[in-house]
Amino acid sequence: MKYKSFKRIGLLGGSFNPAHAGHLHISKLALKILNLDEVWWLVTPQNPLKSTLNMASYSDRLQYAEITAKHPRIIVSDFEKQSGLCYSADTIMRLTQKYNSHRFIWLMGADNLCQIHHWLDWQYIFNRLPIAVFARSGYNQRSFAGKAALKFAKNRINLNLANVIVDYQAPAWVFLPIRRNKISATFIREKI
């Protein structure tokens, strides 16, 4: 019997304004903990929920992400720009259609779990892909009390199954209580 070949891909979307060591930290952990082949950084042209004020140009953000990634299994992607997309749900739909032999998992911080219910078609994201939520200082407790975590509480899997979550049928999500990295894009912009 011949088995279908596929890659296990983590998707990390964001403005990357700028990309930093925290993005790299969670990407490397995702590769290891979630047993992934690659992590794709999906640099969005413009986050619809963020102001354009203090937003670096797309080309600068993409270039800096490429400089920061510096890992053979972390791929910086302009897929959203090339496809004319800015909503994560649309990006996921298009990626899963284009790369239907891959297995994807959505990667995000606890800060995004707190506010994902404001995203367009946020329930589609939960119902389409497994999700890995990375601990983020100051957001962890609030994220568990948030609308998304409560709605999908019964779909949260045990941490000891994190290495196979990409094989789960969505909805499925896991919370990863990782070692904190205090660097954030907001912190970097404030220092600049």
Side-chain angles (χ1 to χ4, degrees):
M1 177 182 282
K2 188 172 184 174
Y3 292 97
K4 192 172 188 176
S5 176
F6 62 88
K7 283 187 177 180
R8 301 159 62 91
I9 309 293
L11 301 174
L12 183 63
S15 300
F16 294 93
N17 186 41
H20 52 74
H23 295 122
L24 189 58
H25 175 67
I26 65 169
S27 297
K28 287 179 178 178
L29 287 174
L31 288 167
K32 182 179 179 179
I33 296 170
L34 304 173
N35 193 27
L36 302 177
D37 295 307
E38 296 174 349
V39 170
W40 294 357
W41 287 5
L42 302 170
V43 182
T44 188
Q46 176 59 46
N47 181 329
L49 297 176
K50 288 188 177 179
S51 168
T52 57
L53 188 66
N54 297 323
M55 185 68 67
S57 72
Y58 180 79
S59 59
D60 286 349
R61 290 184 288 122
L62 187 70
Q63 182 180 17
Y64 199 73
E66 289 169 344
I67 291 167
T68 304
K70 291 293 184 199
H71 190 284
R73 292 168 46 208
I74 299 173
I75 312 301
V76 176
S77 172
D78 65 352
F79 182 83
E80 285 190 335
K81 175 96 168 154
Q82 294 300 319
S83 303
L85 303 169
C86 66
Y87 294 104
S88 298
D90 294 338
T91 300
I92 289 167
M93 184 186 316
R94 192 79 58 88
L95 279 170
T96 55
Q97 289 169 347
K98 183 173 181 173
Y99 301 100
N100 60 8
S101 65
H102 292 352
R103 295 194 181 152
F104 292 105
I105 183 167
W106 190 254
L107 310 175
M108 66 179 175
D111 57 323
N112 280 319
L113 183 59
C114 289
Q115 54 89 27
I116 193 172
H117 64 278
H118 295 294
W119 297 13
L120 182 70
D121 296 329
W122 68 275
Q123 292 183 51
Y124 170 83
I125 298 169
F126 270 85
N127 287 306
R128 186 66 184 96
L129 294 182
I131 297 173
V133 179
F134 291 85
R136 183 131 185 232
S137 187
Y139 294 96
N140 299 333
Q141 292 305 319
R142 281 190 297 163
S143 70
F144 290 121
K147 188 173 182 177
L150 293 174
K151 177 164 181 62
F152 291 97
K154 69 176 193 235
N155 305 108
R156 182 178 171 199
I157 69 163
N158 193 296
L159 179 60
N160 65 1
L161 297 172
N163 66 326
V164 293
I165 188 174
V166 75
D167 298 318
Y168 272 57
Q169 179 71 35
W173 66 284
V174 64
F175 183 83
L176 302 172
I178 61 166
R179 178 180 53 84
R180 310 302 193 273
N181 186 307
K182 294 182 182 181
I183 298 297
S184 72
T186 303
F187 174 80
I188 293 170
R189 286 192 305 275
E190 288 173 355
K191 289 295 181 189
I192 293 172

